[in-house]
């Protein structure tokens, strides 16, 4: 009986593997690249490429896998309009994700938890001036968001056809070391003393969630009783970029922060309502300053720098 984490070397995977192992769950960690910082004791590492259905089936059978965290994806590169390796993105993000569902049903795995995104929603104006919750219409504007919406539809088909438990989780922007999207250009650069580049206009809103809080929610979804819903928002703090910069300055008063794209806004909503997960699981989200500080200190720890200390203010 073990939990298989696919995409275990990424931002979320690394934290989730550590969290599951610390909680005493048998974990199999699989990726196409080795884990940063080496292997954790007590965790089984087994390379698996999601484009290989045969390999996924044998890993699931060999380790008596009962649930799968499906994190493997081509995400950061795909968000650049210049990224041209569309065939690989389709192999991993469309065929690969479908292979995992197919392997789960063939190997008798009970539950798959698929990491989708808030990028499956359209811009905030579609929903009016209110936080967006799970059951709103999806209207993705990016290729990445559209691929995730297709994945969600395939997840639903597998659940309906085969009775597979498939839980779709839609995180917002995840703060933690090793991000391949904008937190790396902003917070990771601040953490090591570089100029932080804020991705959007100062007044533009986004939602941020700490990777540790996400790992807590995923652990519950992977190892607990069957969840009541098939879709959960994993969102945290609704913040403008100016508010986020203000939070950084409370921790690093002399931080150098620039807004190189003052007209840019996210293609998805700026405010979300996470009360479904909070109410059903008693899920707690750390406060914003704590979340930002954890990100900065985790990055610093990875490059051998001392922690920044307590949150001021
Ligand atoms: N980081 C965010 O802010 C964010 C926000 C919303 C949703 N998500 C989603 O959450 C999931 C995890 O995000 P992340 O930030 O940890 O991503 P990440 O890019 O850090 O990790 C993805 C992992 O997938 C692995 N991978 C790529 N191709 C593979 C293949 N063929 N077979 C097996 N593994 C393969 C990569 O090596 C990498 O370790 C992704 O599906 C992502 O789309 C992330």
């Amino acid at each position: 009986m073990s939990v298989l984490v696919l995409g275990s070397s990424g931002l979320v995977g690394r934290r989730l593997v550590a969290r599951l192992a610390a909680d005493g769950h048998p974990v199999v960690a699989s990726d196409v690249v080795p884990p940063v910082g080496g292997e954790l004791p007590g965790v089984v590492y087994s390379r698996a490429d999601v484009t290989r259905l045969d390999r996924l089936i044998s890993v699931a059978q060999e380790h008596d896998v009962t649930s799968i965290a499906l994190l493997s994806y081509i995400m950061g590169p795909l968000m650049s309009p210049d990224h041209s390796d569309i065939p690989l993105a389709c192999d991993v993000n469309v065929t690969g994700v479908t292979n995992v569902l197919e392997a789960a049903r063939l190997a008798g795995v009970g539950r798959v938890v698929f990491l989708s995104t808030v990028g499956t929603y359209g811009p905030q104006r579609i929903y009016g001036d209110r936080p967006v919750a799970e059951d709103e219409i999806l209207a993705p504007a990016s290729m990445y968001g559209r691929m995730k919406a297709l994945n969600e539809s395939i997840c639903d088909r597998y659940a309906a056809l085969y009775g597979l438990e498939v839980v779709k989780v839609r995180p917002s922007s995840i703060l933690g070391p090793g991000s391949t999207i904008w937190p790396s250009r902003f917070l990771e650069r601040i953490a090591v003393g570089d100029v932080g580049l804020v991705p959007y206009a100062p007044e533009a809103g986004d939602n941020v969630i700490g990777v540790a809080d996400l790992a807590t929610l995923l652990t519950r979804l992977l190892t607990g009783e069957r969840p009541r819903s098939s879709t959960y928002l994993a969102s945290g703090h609704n913040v403008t970029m100016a508010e986020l910069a203000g939070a950084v300055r409370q921790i690093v008063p002399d931080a150098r922060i620039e807004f190189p794209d003052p007209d840019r806004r996210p293609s998805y909503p700026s405010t979300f309502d996470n009360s479904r997960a909070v109410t059903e699981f008693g899920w707690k989200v750390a406060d914003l300053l704590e979340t930002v500080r954890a990100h900065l200190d985790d990055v610093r720890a990875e490059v051998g720098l001392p922690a920044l200390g307590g949150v001021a203010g």
Side-chain angles (χ1 to χ4, degrees):
M1 302 257 290
S2 46
V3 179
L4 172 60
V5 178
L6 291 165
S8 56
S9 299
L11 160 65
V12 178
R14 286 157 60 199
R15 190 59 70 104
L16 179 59
V17 166
R19 175 60 195 267
L20 287 163
D23 285 1
H25 300 289
V27 191
V28 181
S30 294
D31 205 306
V32 287
V33 295
V36 179
E39 299 186 356
L40 294 176
V43 174
V44 175
Y45 288 84
S46 183
R47 190 183 189 283
D49 183 333
V50 295
T51 65
R52 291 285 308 273
L53 177 61
D54 56 343
R55 177 74 188 135
L56 292 168
I57 294 170
S58 58
V59 170
Q61 288 175 335
E62 191 182 328
H63 299 285
D64 190 17
V65 169
T66 47
S67 62
I68 297 176
L70 175 41
L71 317 174
S72 304
Y73 222 73
I74 307 291
M75 176 187 58
L78 191 61
M79 289 190 173
S80 161
D82 300 328
H83 183 70
S84 60
D85 199 348
I86 307 302
L88 178 66
C90 289
D91 275 354
V92 175
N93 296 357
V94 181
T95 305
V97 167
T98 308
N99 280 342
V100 176
L101 297 163
E102 183 69 8
R105 80 161 181 106
L106 292 172
V109 175
R111 188 180 301 164
V112 176
V113 176
F114 170 66
L115 270 266
S116 181
T117 173
V118 296
T120 51
Y121 297 101
Q124 181 75 53
R125 64 184 149 70
I126 292 183
Y127 309 98
D129 187 18
R130 61 191 159 80
V132 171
E134 286 82 353
D135 296 335
E136 303 282 0
I137 191 164
L138 302 183
S142 66
M143 183 184 287
Y144 167 67
R146 287 179 178 141
M147 280 186 177
K148 288 284 192 185
L150 172 62
N151 299 144
E152 287 204 15
S153 168
I154 295 171
C155 286
D156 291 343
R157 181 71 64 92
Y158 266 82
L161 282 175
Y162 305 114
L164 184 66
E165 285 181 39
V166 188
V167 184
K168 297 157 292 175
V169 179
R170 297 180 188 143
S172 54
S173 295
I174 303 167
L175 302 191
S179 173
T180 61
I181 62 165
W182 68 259
S184 70
R185 298 190 300 277
F186 181 26
L187 296 173
E188 296 193 30
R189 289 170 60 100
I190 296 277
V192 297
D194 285 344
V195 178
L197 305 174
V198 184
Y200 306 118
E203 66 281 9
D206 197 0
N207 185 288
V208 295
I209 182 71
V211 69
D213 291 330
L214 178 60
T216 301
L217 178 63
L218 294 177
T219 298
R220 162 62 186 85
L221 290 169
L222 288 159
T223 63
E225 285 175 16
R226 184 175 189 153
R228 288 206 285 267
S229 299
S230 61
T231 310
Y232 293 90
L233 267 169
S235 55
H237 301 281
N238 299 315
V239 284
T240 65
M241 292 298 107
E243 288 167 344
L244 194 57
V248 169
R249 284 215 169 88
Q250 285 194 54
I251 303 163
V252 187
D254 57 352
R256 291 175 297 150
I257 298 175
E258 291 178 5
F259 292 81
D261 295 307
D263 298 323
R264 192 163 167 243
R265 284 174 165 64
S267 64
Y268 49 82
S270 52
T271 57
F272 294 94
D273 173 0
N274 64 7
S275 54
R276 179 178 287 178
V278 168
T279 306
E280 183 173 340
F281 308 122
W283 184 45
K284 291 189 174 57
V285 171
D287 74 34
L288 180 64
L289 279 187
E290 197 183 322
T291 302
V292 171
R293 183 170 54 85
H295 185 156
L296 297 172
D297 278 343
D298 287 349
V299 172
R300 290 173 67 82
E302 287 194 347
V303 295
L305 290 170
L308 291 161
V311 172

